[in-house]
Amino acid sequence: MFLNIFWNSLTAIVILTRHSLENIVLKPIKALGQNFLRDENILHKIVESINLQTGDVVIEIGPGQGALTKHLCDKPVKLIGIEVDERAIQLLQERFGEKLELIHHDVLDVNLGELASRNNRKVRIVGNIPYYLTSEILFWLFNSWTEVNDAVLMVQFEVAKRLIAPPKNKEYGILSIFTQFYTECEMLFKVSRNCFFPKPEVDSAVVRFKFKEQLPDCDEKLFRSIVSATFGQRRKTLRNGLKSMGYDESVLDHISFNLTKRPEELGVEEFLLLTNNLSKLNSKFIS
């Protein structure tokens, strides 16, 4: 009887130890924006929404403890993790070994073009990204739009609403315009703050970005400059925003566009029309 009790106790200790090791929680670093997703149902929904195909090159931004990684690493894909936290790098190497290629860098310093070229195909992006870097990461993706097939990202719920907002809406802004210029974007589902450790002060949402095969015919650099300049003075008219770019009144008088509007009144198509009008003016006055 004593031996039975001893072996049962020992077995319980082993099981408890194994369970504890499998659920190691790195102490979240606030400066890195770490809020670890803990809800298995949400993790499964994210993986399902990616719709992985054999041979895909999948880049996970900030795999952290590997909560999502463990659902991806046994798929027939090439899996690459970009992680800045050295503690997480060590943990991920121990857990996944050669199933996961790790890049120990700040995500914004990684060249997506090189990764796509090395693997001879466009990359697919997934991640629970640091919310304080959301805009920077999105622009990092936009700058490499030709190398990215799609992205499924966890973002702050309020930001998700901005990404898909239509004109004349209080959430509509620069991120809305650029997101809708480079991608077809949809909010897939909302995620409660209770699904994370530590619990953030906001709810989240999973958003899918399908990058366009071809952009509308326009001067992309000029388009971006116009959107940034006019939304930089969003309470003023388009004319005032364009004047901040150096356009003289005499030049703007030649444009066949209603410059008394405010930037939040214009959709992507109207910004494209404005860009093409200014591009023609530039050519006329430069020549």
Side-chain angles (χ1 to χ4, degrees), residues 26-42:
L26 296 175
K27 183 178 180 182
I29 298 177
K30 188 175 182 180
L32 295 180
Q34 289 179 334
N35 294 93
F36 299 129
L37 182 59
R38 302 286 297 276
D39 191 299
E40 287 295 320
N41 290 327
I42 297 297

Side-chain angles (χ1 to χ4, degrees), residues 119-161:
N119 291 282
N120 200 31
R121 66 171 57 204
K122 290 186 177 184
V123 298
R124 307 187 68 189
I125 309 293
V126 64
N128 172 26
I129 62 177
Y131 291 169
Y132 75 100
L133 282 179
T134 298
S135 294
E136 288 86 347
I137 288 174
L138 288 177
F139 277 97
W140 172 72
L141 292 172
F142 298 153
N143 290 338
S144 297
W145 68 273
T146 57
E147 318 298 342
V148 183
N149 183 70
D150 62 348
V152 174
L153 302 176
M154 180 88 71
V155 301
Q156 185 177 331
F157 180 62
E158 294 303 319
V159 172
K161 291 195 293 184

Side-chain angles (χ1 to χ4, degrees), residues 227-281:
V227 172
S228 298
T230 55
F231 271 101
Q233 302 186 52
R234 66 179 298 153
R235 298 304 174 195
K236 297 184 178 181
T237 64
L238 292 168
R239 180 178 289 271
N240 283 315
L242 294 173
K243 285 168 64 176
S244 73
M245 293 177 64
Y247 286 101
D248 293 330
E249 290 278 4
S250 58
V251 174
L252 295 178
D253 286 340
H254 287 82
I255 191 171
S256 56
F257 197 92
N258 183 1
L259 298 180
T260 63
K261 289 185 175 183
R262 290 185 170 85
E264 63 263 27
E265 298 179 70
L266 272 62
V268 172
E269 292 300 322
E270 290 174 292
F271 268 110
L272 287 170
L273 181 60
L274 176 58
T275 300
N276 288 332
N277 271 279
L278 282 170
S279 184
K280 292 176 183 176
L281 275 180

Side-chain angles (χ1 to χ4, degrees), residues 171-182:
E171 276 96 15
Y172 189 69
I174 291 178
L175 269 185
S176 314
I177 289 286
F178 287 143
T179 297
Q180 295 164 34
F181 177 71
Y182 287 103

Side-chain angles (χ1 to χ4, degrees), residues 161-173:
K161 291 195 293 184
R162 287 166 54 194
L163 298 175
I164 61 174
K168 301 178 183 178
N169 184 290
K170 65 179 181 179
E171 276 96 15
Y172 189 69

Side-chain angles (χ1 to χ4, degrees), residues 60-261:
E60 183 181 0
I61 299 174
Q65 301 179 119
L68 179 60
T69 315
K70 71 175 183 285
H71 294 282
L72 299 171
C73 67
D74 289 328
K75 303 292 183 181
V77 302
K78 170 70 175 293
L79 183 59
I80 302 170
I82 303 174
E83 178 58 64
V84 72
D85 185 352
E86 187 172 354
R87 304 170 309 153
I89 289 288
Q90 294 175 352
L91 181 62
L92 292 165
Q93 286 174 335
E94 292 171 3
R95 289 192 66 185
F96 304 111
E98 295 182 355
K99 293 180 179 179
L100 173 66
E101 178 184 330
L102 284 165
I103 299 175
H104 186 195
H105 276 300
D106 183 318
V107 64
L108 300 178
D109 294 331
V110 175
N111 188 318
L112 283 178
E114 289 182 1
L115 288 178
S117 177
R118 188 204 312 166
N119 291 282
N120 200 31
R121 66 171 57 204
K122 290 186 177 184
V123 298
R124 307 187 68 189
I125 309 293
V126 64
N128 172 26
I129 62 177
Y131 291 169
Y132 75 100
L133 282 179
T134 298
S135 294
E136 288 86 347
I137 288 174
L138 288 177
F139 277 97
W140 172 72
L141 292 172
F142 298 153
N143 290 338
S144 297
W145 68 273
T146 57
E147 318 298 342
V148 183
N149 183 70
D150 62 348
V152 174
L153 302 176
M154 180 88 71
V155 301
Q156 185 177 331
F157 180 62
E158 294 303 319
V159 172
K161 291 195 293 184
R162 287 166 54 194
L163 298 175
I164 61 174
K168 301 178 183 178
N169 184 290
K170 65 179 181 179
E171 276 96 15
Y172 189 69
I174 291 178
L175 269 185
S176 314
I177 289 286
F178 287 143
T179 297
Q180 295 164 34
F181 177 71
Y182 287 103
T183 78
E184 299 293 337
C185 180
E186 62 177 322
M187 190 192 306
L188 298 181
F189 50 88
K190 188 176 180 180
V191 181
S192 167
R193 65 193 72 185
N194 296 318
C195 296
F196 299 87
F197 175 81
K199 183 170 77 171
E201 297 180 358
V202 296
D203 289 324
S204 302
V206 174
V207 180
R208 178 191 286 126
F209 307 80
K210 175 62 180 174
F211 281 76
K212 295 178 180 178
E213 291 290 334
Q214 186 174 354
L215 294 182
D217 185 20
C218 76
D219 182 331
E220 182 187 353
K221 184 177 180 180
L222 181 59
F223 174 87
R224 290 176 62 147
S225 296
I226 291 170
V227 172
S228 298
T230 55
F231 271 101
Q233 302 186 52
R234 66 179 298 153
R235 298 304 174 195
K236 297 184 178 181
T237 64
L238 292 168
R239 180 178 289 271
N240 283 315
L242 294 173
K243 285 168 64 176
S244 73
M245 293 177 64
Y247 286 101
D248 293 330
E249 290 278 4
S250 58
V251 174
L252 295 178
D253 286 340
H254 287 82
I255 191 171
S256 56
F257 197 92
N258 183 1
L259 298 180
T260 63
K261 289 185 175 183

